Amino acid sequence: MTKDFDRKSVALNLLAVWEGNVRKTGADQDLGDLMASIEAHGLLNPLHVFDKGKGTYVVAGQRRLLALQKLANAKKIDKDYAVPCIVVDMADALEISLAENTIRADMHPADQFEAFAALADKEMPIADIAARFGVTERIVNQRLRLGRVHPALLAEYRDPDSDLNLDELEAFALTDDQDAQLIIRQQLGGRATAWRIREALTKDEVPFTDKRARFVGVAAYEAAGGIVRRDLFDDRESGYLIDAQLLNRLVSEKMKEAVASVQAEGWKWVEEREQLTWSEKQKFGEDKGKKPPLTFEQKSALDDLQKELAELEEIDNEDGLSDEQEARKEEVEDAIDKIDNRTPTFSKAAYARGGAVIVLDYDGTLEITRGLIRKADMPKDKKAKDGKEADEPEKPAFSQSLLTDLKDYTLDAIQVELAEDPDTALIAVVYSLAIRRTSKRYGWNPLALDAKPQRVPDDATGRAYIETLASDKLEGMPTAPADLWHWLGLQTREKLMDMLAALVGPLVNRSASSTKQIRKHLEVDVRKHFTPTAANYFGKISAEQIMADLKEMGQTETDLKPLAKLKKKELALYAEKIAASDFAWLPEPMRDQPLDEDELADTEEADDWEGIDGDEDDMDEAA
């Protein structure tokens, strides 16, 4: 049985919040949209109130009252604004408050999307819709876009048994082509995740994050007549360039300008490449020029930055860094790198014989490597014409300490394989002794026959294994030299061969070129012994090199796009997980390199041609 309540208008300044209202939490939050609605449409639902005799109180409608009071304080309505109310009995107050806050159902989002679209269809300006409902124009545009998704997809979204969620509906809204939306839904079926939908809708388009788009710039592309598709539902304001052919033309034109600019510096040659890998760079000599001295301002700034970096690293070691501190640390490191990597100056001789390689990096910036010297242009004298000895080839992707570690991890793998192969160990020993007798090429000796094991990293997987293997194979061997020869004479050939392998394995020489022959003979699979991790590899290289490595491991531009905002530590850990699932991938310096004829003509001491610092006679021979 329903009750009849009196309806009347009550002045706003006579109303107060009732302390018994069941809504205790969040009543005063997010009132903007409610205030906008009241200002545009008036109070659509009356307040339920009762009078205790000392004034009128609100039983239900607390948020509406707070919104009205804020409008009055902002002088948008009068303080005695006539508020429509329903007067209830005090005895029913609690029950009515509870009923209004529980016995109601919110509008389904799809109904809201379609309602917004209907308002826009009546030619109501976006700004007016936003103002009337207290939301931003971006939100209005999002709801309008969702309201124009294919009706069949909206119906599916409404269905409580459907697996189509809001994220996936937003992905379909990337295009206004409803037929395309429906086709993609049918093609993907149960695999219609948000990222797959976006990928299917934009398969022939170029994302804003693509290095070409970053290089040219979206504004320049649009100025040239290019059309873009913006993703309204991505906080990073991502989007896609629809005309890939136009983009490629703009990239080519801008790259030609860059090549001409570098050529104008006076280099003998300038070359544009897709990439310049570490191994490719080693084919060049390099004159790194001379960095100009620091100005007083630069030195002062560098001192301050290094001091701040030391303080941040101390905090990191003790308590860890906050997100703000981590971001500041990256800024400080970038600022230090900018000072350290200031543009060098080059001699006339460097320009006359050297050149530059221009590469478009993954982030859309140009990476220009100047001072590269082709082998044919190398001077016979390892000193440059200005009398100053040139620097060794630069290895920007990998530090010297990391290269040494990677070489030693590879060495560890070869040592383990050799320690288990007596026949190959015998060949290695005979070869090492013979090469000393027949040749002066000591750099080609694969074994260090002083019986001192070659060092490998402490965490190398084979280190402990070889020690265990040696303990097993050398069990019972006398330690006194006087007894050893007699004891060895009593052992079987099989025992001696096993001992030989166990003893020879750790002697593999890290620096000998012919160590490659042992690796090839044994068909060593380094990945059985080494897995790249954040600790032993990814944490010791740049974020750019990590991204390049991830591409080699099969990560697509779509996979890499969300990684751009990761901190380097997080990116290194992500790469570690990917590398753990790719059982074939190795860092470039660890990969098996074939022994070629050029290496056979190398120097007696060195493994590889060392460019500008190589031996004079051997460079003549190589040339």
Side-chain angles (χ1 to χ4, degrees):
M1 179 177 179
T2 60
K3 294 185 177 182
D4 293 327
F5 297 116
D6 292 335
R7 294 174 178 267
K8 67 177 182 178
S9 294
V10 180
L12 175 60
N13 53 7
L14 295 179
L15 295 173
V17 174
W18 175 46
E19 64 273 11
N21 194 298
V22 298
R23 183 189 287 269
K24 305 294 184 185
T25 305
D28 58 347
Q29 297 176 2
D30 301 324
L31 295 174
D33 54 349
L34 183 54
M35 292 169 62
S37 177
I38 292 173
E39 186 179 3
H41 312 111
L43 188 66
L44 301 178
N45 295 311
L47 307 182
H48 286 72
V49 301
F50 68 89
D51 191 344
K52 291 176 61 177
K54 296 182 180 180
T56 304
Y57 294 79
V58 175
V59 170
Q62 181 179 185
R63 283 174 50 78
R64 279 165 278 163
L65 174 60
L66 293 174
L68 287 165
Q69 291 173 339
K70 281 182 172 289
L71 287 170
N73 291 335
K75 297 183 179 180
K76 298 291 183 66
I77 60 175
D78 295 331
K79 291 188 177 181
D80 60 352
Y81 175 82
V83 180
C85 297
I86 297 175
V87 181
V88 301
D89 294 335
M90 185 174 177
D92 299 323
L94 182 62
E95 182 181 346
I96 290 173
S97 176
L98 181 62
E100 184 169 271
N101 281 284
T102 56
I103 306 174
R104 62 179 180 180
D106 292 331
M107 175 186 285
H108 192 281
D111 297 333
Q112 185 185 106
F113 304 152
E114 290 182 328
F116 269 71
L119 287 175
D121 290 340
K122 293 180 180 180
E123 299 185 353
M124 181 181 288
I126 301 298
D128 289 355
I129 297 176
R132 285 176 173 271
F133 291 92
V135 295
T136 64
E137 292 185 30
R138 177 182 173 86
I139 290 177
V140 173
N141 282 316
Q142 287 176 337
R143 292 174 182 174
L144 293 179
R145 186 72 69 86
L146 289 166
R148 294 189 176 111
V149 169
H150 196 289
L153 296 176
L154 285 173
E156 185 179 356
Y157 174 55
R158 284 188 174 94
D159 185 351
D161 296 327
S162 170
D163 60 355
L164 185 66
N165 59 38
L166 181 58
D167 287 341
E168 291 153 4
L169 197 70
E170 290 174 349
F172 281 118
L174 189 61
T175 178
D176 291 328
D177 187 340
Q178 293 186 340
D179 291 337
Q181 294 169 356
L182 203 57
I183 290 171
I184 295 300
R185 176 56 172 160
Q186 292 168 348
Q187 289 177 342
L188 293 178
R191 299 182 299 111
T193 58
W195 74 267
R196 282 198 175 102
I197 295 167
R198 284 186 170 89
E199 185 179 53
L201 288 172
T202 62
K203 63 180 180 179
D204 297 322
E205 300 171 10
V206 182
F208 284 4
T209 54
D210 185 275
K211 64 181 181 180
R212 294 169 295 166
R214 289 176 170 178
F215 178 56
V216 171
V218 175
Y221 165 82
E222 289 184 292
I227 301 173
V228 302
R229 187 197 305 281
R230 286 185 167 83
D231 190 343
L232 293 178
F233 302 96
D234 190 331
D235 291 338
R236 295 170 295 180
E237 298 184 353
S238 66
Y240 303 84
L241 311 185
I242 293 178
D243 192 341
Q245 186 175 359
L246 171 62
L247 175 64
N248 289 333
R249 177 171 65 79
L250 295 175
V251 169
S252 177
E253 291 172 356
K254 191 171 181 180
M255 185 64 78
K256 286 179 181 177
E257 293 176 1
V259 170
S261 176
V262 176
Q263 187 77 63
E265 296 174 8
W267 296 106
K268 181 178 181 180
W269 55 271
V270 177
E271 183 179 322
E272 173 192 346
R273 289 193 179 193
E274 284 291 323
Q275 62 178 358
L276 179 63
T277 64
W278 178 84
S279 60
E280 289 171 343
K281 191 175 180 182
Q282 302 319 297
K283 297 175 182 178
F284 295 96
E286 184 174 10
D287 186 332
K288 293 191 291 186
K290 182 179 180 181
K291 291 183 181 178
L294 291 172
T295 64
F296 175 81
E297 292 78 10
Q298 286 175 322
K299 188 175 186 309
S300 177
L302 184 60
D303 289 342
D304 291 341
L305 289 166
Q306 289 174 334
K307 181 179 179 181
E308 184 178 358
L309 180 60
E311 292 172 351
L312 289 169
E313 288 177 340
E314 185 176 351
I315 295 172
D316 193 12
N317 291 333
E318 292 179 359
D319 305 316
L321 297 177
S322 64
D323 290 343
E324 293 77 10
Q325 290 171 324
E326 187 72 44
R328 177 55 187 164
K329 183 183 177 187
E330 291 180 6
E331 290 176 2
V332 170
E333 290 173 336
D334 289 342
I336 291 174
D337 288 342
K338 188 174 182 180
I339 295 175
D340 286 342
N341 298 327
R342 57 195 181 280
T343 304
T345 57
F346 295 89
S347 67
K348 291 182 180 179
Y351 286 113
R353 66 170 175 261
V357 171
I358 301 179
V359 172
L360 182 58
D361 209 351
Y362 85 97
D363 61 355
T365 59
L366 286 181
E367 181 179 313
I368 304 174
T369 307
R370 297 174 172 86
L372 297 178
I373 305 173
R374 290 169 173 160
K375 195 170 183 179
D377 295 328
M378 289 297 302
K380 294 184 179 180
D381 186 348
K382 66 181 178 181
K383 290 189 175 182
K385 292 181 181 179
D386 59 6
K388 295 181 180 179
E389 186 167 330
D391 295 323
E392 293 181 358
E394 184 182 9
K395 301 176 177 63
F398 311 100
S399 68
Q400 186 57 52
S401 62
L402 177 58
L403 283 173
T404 300
D405 283 347
L406 296 180
K407 196 169 186 178
D408 285 348
Y409 282 119
T410 308
L411 181 71
D412 171 64
I414 299 173
Q415 288 179 352
V416 171
E417 299 283 346
L418 185 59
E420 293 181 324
D421 194 318
D423 292 328
T424 304
L426 179 61
I427 294 172
V429 170
V430 173
Y431 176 92
S432 297
L433 294 173
I435 202 71
R436 284 181 177 272
R437 183 179 181 88
T438 62
S439 172
K440 294 181 179 180
R441 293 182 178 275
Y442 298 118
W444 282 85
N445 195 333
L447 301 182
L449 285 177
D450 58 1
K452 181 180 180 181
Q454 299 291 286
R455 184 193 66 82
V456 294
D458 291 340
D459 60 339
T461 55
R463 179 175 178 144
Y465 173 77
I466 286 186
E467 291 176 358
T468 301
L469 182 67
S471 297
D472 178 42
K473 301 299 183 184
L474 305 180
E475 184 179 3
M477 185 179 73
T479 57
D483 301 328
L484 179 59
W485 184 269
H486 176 71
W487 183 84
L488 290 173
L490 298 176
Q491 307 308 308
T492 64
R493 182 181 182 281
E494 182 180 6
K495 172 70 174 179
L496 290 174
M497 290 293 286
D498 285 344
M499 291 179 64
L500 174 69
L503 289 168
V504 166
L507 304 185
V508 177
N509 196 333
R510 73 170 60 85
S511 60
S513 294
S514 56
T515 300
K516 294 178 182 179
Q517 294 175 313
I518 296 179
R519 178 175 179 173
K520 182 179 180 180
H521 185 89
L522 292 169
E523 298 181 347
V524 177
D525 182 357
V526 177
R527 272 309 298 263
K528 290 182 179 179
H529 308 273
F530 173 84
T531 300
T533 66
N536 65 25
Y537 175 66
F538 294 112
K540 299 180 181 180
I541 59 177
S542 66
E544 291 79 6
Q545 185 62 40
I546 296 176
M547 296 291 271
D549 288 346
L550 286 170
K551 279 188 177 181
E552 286 192 345
M553 286 183 263
Q555 297 287 284
T556 65
E557 292 289 347
T558 302
D559 298 325
L560 296 177
K561 183 174 70 171
L563 305 180
K565 289 189 176 182
L566 290 183
K567 298 173 184 176
K568 182 182 169 182
K569 290 181 181 178
E570 297 171 331
L571 185 60
L573 290 172
Y574 176 85
E576 176 180 311
K577 291 181 180 178
I578 299 300
S581 62
D582 187 337
F583 303 111
W585 187 86
L586 275 172
E588 186 175 358
M590 303 181 77
R591 298 172 193 171
D592 190 13
Q593 299 294 330
L595 200 63
D596 55 32
E597 293 301 320
D598 287 339
E599 284 188 299
L600 294 174
D602 262 351
T603 64
E604 295 179 344
E605 291 81 11
D607 298 348
D608 301 300
W609 183 71
E610 294 295 335
I612 199 165
D613 288 331
D615 184 85
E616 176 180 346
D617 294 334
D618 288 303
M619 281 193 289
D620 289 342
E621 181 183 356

